[in-house]
Every structure is written in C-alpha cells, then in structure tokens.
Amino acid sequence: METKNRCAWCEKDDLYREYHDNEWGKPVYDDDKLFEFLVLETFQAGLSWHMILKKRENFRKAFANFDYNLIAAFDEYEVQELLKDVGIIRNKLKIKATITNAIAFKKVQTEFGSFSSYIWSFVSGKPIDNNPKTLKDVPASTSLSDIISKDLKKKGFKFVGTTVVYAHMQATGMVNDHVEDCWTRS
C-alpha cells in the first residue's frame, strides 16, 4: 500500500483523509456546492470540522439536499422539526441563519448572476496559493476573509465571521493551504 504525505490535520481517520484528498482546497465554482459548504461551515462555527463531516449526510437530508430555493422558504414549522433532528447540530440560531443565508444567497445570485461570480471576484477568479510549509503557517483568517466577511454581513448573511469565511475559502479552493509536502501539490 502506497503511503501518501498529507496535511497532518486530516490523519484522524479515513473520512478526514477522503475529504482532504478529494475535496478540500479544490476550486468549487458550482453554486449548489458553494451553498452546501456555506451551510456546513455555518454549523461548524465553534465546533470541529470532523463532527460536521460525520453528520454531513444527515445535514443533506435535513436541509433538502442543500437546495437553497427550498431552504429559503422554510418557516417556523421546519425550524421546530430541525430542532428535533438528532442527526444534525440542533442550534436554533444556526438553523435560522441557514434559512437567512439561503435568502441572501438567492439575492446575491440575482445581483451577480451567480454566487460563484460574486465570491470568486474577491480573488479574481483564481485560487490564492499560500504555499504553507507547515500547519503552523496556515492562518485561521486573513485580511481578505475579513473583507469578505464584512461584505457578506452587509448582504444579510449570518454566522459568516472571518474564521468561518476563511474555512469556506479553504474548503472551496479559493485558497490553497495544503502544506508543502502534501501529495496534492504534485
């Protein structure tokens, strides 16, 4: 069996390695996938990403396959149902933020043609390669994530602090923070 050098954070288990190898840091330009990551990052705030990944399929089921058009129409009934769902993180503020974010997401699509066009405009459509040598060189946030966070909040998004935004940038490949000796760089 071939051993691959990976970013050390993903060596917890196969789920993490699979996510690292096949998703994390790969550019995502699809609005549906960008919204999925926005939902997951919203729920991850203050919690571990590993926990969210383990519950990802539960989130998919609970949140209408991450369909922002459907989620934007959720009302108090759906909020109460989601609060009963033991398969997800049952945080009322994050659930309501997801609904609010679906509405804001659609407004951004209307204004910019797609959410992808909007979010990728912050990096001129191309990933920023930070080329970190070690995990210590990977920031939790940057001045750019500060700017994006402020702009998202201005557009009505919730739970989009600079750390959440930077994690979203990493997950969707807007920034490449794979460490220098990670096999994904080859």
Side-chain angles (χ1 to χ4, degrees):
M1 183 169 124
E2 180 186 350
T3 305
K4 295 178 178 179
N5 285 332
R6 292 182 174 91
C7 301
W9 63 263
C10 78
E11 292 297 353
K12 183 175 192 139
D13 63 15
D14 287 340
L15 177 67
Y16 244 16
R17 283 185 285 276
E18 175 77 17
Y19 171 69
H20 169 274
D21 290 359
N22 297 305
E23 291 187 82
W24 193 73
K26 295 201 182 335
V28 174
Y29 297 96
D30 176 72
D31 274 10
D32 294 342
K33 199 69 166 172
L34 288 166
F35 185 76
E36 175 181 345
F37 277 115
L38 184 62
V39 172
L40 297 174
E41 295 295 349
T42 297
F43 279 91
Q44 188 268 329
L47 302 171
S48 81
W49 184 242
H50 189 259
M51 178 192 304
I52 300 304
L53 278 181
K54 288 194 311 191
K55 294 178 177 282
R56 187 179 195 175
E57 292 311 309
N58 297 336
F59 278 105
R60 185 181 312 286
K61 183 178 174 192
F63 284 96
N65 202 32
F66 302 112
D67 185 330
Y68 44 85
N69 290 303
L70 295 176
I71 296 168
F74 280 13
D75 60 18
E76 191 56 32
Y77 173 80
E78 281 90 1
V79 171
Q80 292 307 314
E81 289 300 304
L82 288 165
L83 286 169
K84 296 176 197 171
D85 190 337
V86 296
I88 65 168
I89 307 301
R90 295 176 294 170
N91 178 307
K92 190 172 190 172
L93 292 175
K94 291 179 179 182
I95 290 168
K96 287 189 166 214
T98 299
I99 298 165
T100 298
N101 289 351
I103 294 165
F105 193 90
K106 290 175 60 165
K107 287 179 183 171
V108 167
Q109 285 180 314
T110 299
E111 183 179 347
F112 292 88
S114 70
F115 184 81
S116 179
S117 294
Y118 161 73
I119 202 72
W120 279 92
S121 71
F122 288 97
V123 293
S124 301
K126 295 182 305 193
I128 296 169
D129 192 344
N130 288 326
N131 203 18
K133 292 197 183 315
T134 69
L135 284 180
K136 287 182 258 171
D137 300 323
V138 177
S141 64
T142 63
S143 58
L144 180 57
S145 65
D146 293 346
I147 291 166
I148 297 171
S149 171
K150 285 179 187 155
D151 202 65
L152 285 166
K153 288 175 184 177
K154 224 184 329 177
K155 294 189 180 321
F157 288 83
K158 304 286 184 203
F159 273 91
V160 288
T162 188
T163 304
V164 168
V165 168
Y166 194 72
H168 189 266
M169 292 169 71
Q170 290 173 310
T172 61
M174 289 176 67
V175 294
N176 181 357
D177 278 340
H178 286 283
V179 296
E180 187 175 66
D181 67 346
C182 180
W183 76 270
T184 63
R185 290 197 160 274
S186 54

